[in-house]
């Protein structure tokens, strides 16, 4: 096989392999983080309108970090979340009603502020911890929650 023929096979093979690996990792992160469980309980199927933040960050539990990949919206019906396009595999949109938030704790970090929410998840008979980062988003969430 010629060198150019080999390159013609390697490049598409790499692209297919990378795409499959990326998809598997993003899909697994939805399961590990608890996003998938919350999406089954609180599906974001209805269109919402309200104040939105793009490319924002949150952590789910202690292991899963969504840094600068979320679109978050506060609306009268609840807290809407959706990852940006390359991270949507296995991540259905969420619309968490305000009354599903069991607890909210503000955390003042050195350079920013964070709000830790405990969200009721009947599928595990407990709560899931989600922490949001950024002063503007934290203040808007506190105003909606009443914290």
């Amino acid at each position: 096989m010629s060198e150019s023929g080999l390159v013609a096979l390697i490049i598409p093979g790499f692209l297919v392999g990378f795409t499959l690996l990326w998809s598997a990792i993003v899909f697994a992160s939805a399961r590990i983080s608890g996003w998938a469980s919350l999406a089954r309980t609180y599906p974001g199927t209805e269109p919402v309108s309200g104040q939105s933040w793009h490319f924002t960050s949150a952590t789910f539990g202690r292991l899963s970090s969504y840094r600068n990949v979320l679109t978050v919206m506060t609306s009268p019906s609840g807290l809407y979340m959706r990852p940006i396009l390359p991270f949507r595999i296995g991540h259905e949109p969420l619309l968490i009603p305000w009354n599903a938030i069991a607890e909210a704790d503000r955390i003042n970090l050195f350079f920013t502020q964070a709000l830790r929410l405990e969200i009721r998840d009947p599928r595990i008979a407990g709560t899931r911890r989600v922490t949001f980062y950024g002063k503007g988003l934290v203040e808007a969430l506190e105003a909606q929650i009443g914290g």
Side-chain angles (χ1 to χ4, degrees):
M1 180 176 285
S2 70
E3 201 172 293
S4 61
L6 188 58
V7 169
L9 290 175
I10 290 174
I11 292 174
F14 171 78
L15 293 175
V16 168
F18 178 80
T19 302
L20 290 173
L21 181 62
W22 177 267
S23 299
I25 290 169
V26 172
F27 185 83
S29 74
R31 301 310 183 260
I32 293 167
S33 69
W35 184 292
S37 177
L38 285 174
R40 285 189 296 276
T41 304
Y42 305 114
T45 54
E46 64 184 63
V48 296
S49 61
Q51 189 175 9
S52 61
W53 292 264
H54 302 281
F55 302 103
T56 192
S57 301
T59 55
F60 278 64
R62 299 182 199 278
L63 298 175
S64 298
S65 179
Y66 292 82
R67 289 189 183 164
N68 303 314
V69 298
L70 294 178
T71 296
V72 177
M73 184 179 296
T74 57
S75 74
S77 55
L79 173 63
Y80 177 85
M81 287 183 280
R82 182 173 192 156
I84 61 174
L85 190 58
F87 298 93
R88 287 188 186 163
I89 299 166
H91 290 80
E92 297 298 321
L94 298 172
L95 181 57
I96 300 167
W98 298 116
N99 63 4
I101 298 172
E103 190 177 328
D105 296 313
R106 187 180 195 137
I107 305 164
N108 292 314
L109 303 171
F110 191 62
F111 290 109
T112 189
Q113 295 173 0
L115 188 67
R116 183 180 316 142
L117 302 179
E118 295 290 336
I119 299 170
R120 291 181 190 90
D121 187 349
R123 293 179 182 275
I124 62 167
T127 62
R128 298 230 181 240
R129 177 177 291 168
V130 181
T131 305
F132 294 93
Y133 300 91
K135 182 180 179 183
L137 176 57
V138 166
E139 290 173 352
L141 289 172
E142 285 180 327
Q144 286 287 343
I145 296 166

